[in-house]
Amino acid sequence: MSSWLVRGLAMTAVHVLARILLGVAVVEAPLNSTVWRTVAIAAVVLVALVWGGFDGIRDARANPDPDDYGDLTVRWLKAGVLAGVAAGLISWIIGNTVLAAIGQAGLFVELIAGASFTALLVFVPAFVGAAIGRWLIRREQNKGAEDDWSVHEDRHADAAR
């Protein structure tokens, strides 16, 4: 199975679970709906951020040269789009058949606006997490190699020419 497919399906499950729990929480405590919405969005963002960070760390360790890094941007973009469309469809089905509290938006709205929002909730934090993970590993690798360019032999050879 492709790595973006695994990430997309997992993030779909996280998003749908967050929406179901949000629906139940809003029905039980409607005065705290803003808090529950913030918690649900934060949960999805946090999972994507941490997973993206692990991807960045793993990629930076596997490829010490930044020019050889894998394309995590497209991987997470595909995962985000899949999660958005699938979560929108699943949430619409659940909202119309089982649990009306998760929202009554139309199918078109769920598949366009909801999917776009979910794709961004997955892609942006994962991209930021991957960048942070790569940065942490590069910083760790650069601590071991104390190469001062001002005293490097190649620098003086270029100046002599």
Side-chain angles (χ1 to χ4, degrees):
M1 201 182 283
S2 296
S3 61
W4 66 268
L5 188 59
V6 172
R7 284 158 181 76
L9 292 176
M11 292 307 298
T12 298
V14 168
H15 184 79
V16 170
L17 180 64
R19 280 194 64 178
I20 290 171
L21 293 175
L22 173 64
V24 171
V26 168
V27 168
E28 294 298 320
L31 296 177
N32 296 328
S33 65
T34 303
V35 173
W36 295 121
R37 289 175 203 272
T38 305
V39 168
I41 289 173
V44 174
V45 167
L46 184 64
V47 170
L49 181 73
V50 170
W51 200 345
F54 283 138
D55 276 353
I57 289 170
R58 190 178 12 214
D59 187 44
R61 284 187 179 148
N63 304 304
D65 184 11
D67 291 337
D68 296 334
Y69 284 169
D71 192 6
L72 298 180
T73 306
V74 173
R75 178 186 300 170
W76 277 104
L77 183 61
K78 288 179 181 179
V81 170
L82 173 65
V85 172
L89 180 64
I90 292 169
S91 296
W92 181 80
I93 291 169
I94 291 173
N96 285 324
T97 58
V98 180
L99 185 65
I102 67 169
Q104 289 296 327
L107 179 62
F108 183 74
V109 172
E110 286 287 349
L111 292 180
I112 302 300
S116 300
F117 181 67
T118 303
L120 286 174
L121 280 182
V122 171
F123 172 68
V124 172
F127 181 73
V128 169
I132 291 171
R134 286 174 171 168
W135 176 77
L136 289 172
I137 296 302
R138 270 197 319 265
R139 192 179 80 172
E140 181 181 295
Q141 291 168 345
N142 288 339
K143 279 184 182 177
E146 293 188 26
D147 191 16
D148 185 6
W149 184 248
S150 65
V151 296
H152 202 273
E153 294 174 19
D154 290 341
R155 181 173 185 265
H156 296 295
D158 288 340
R161 288 182 195 172

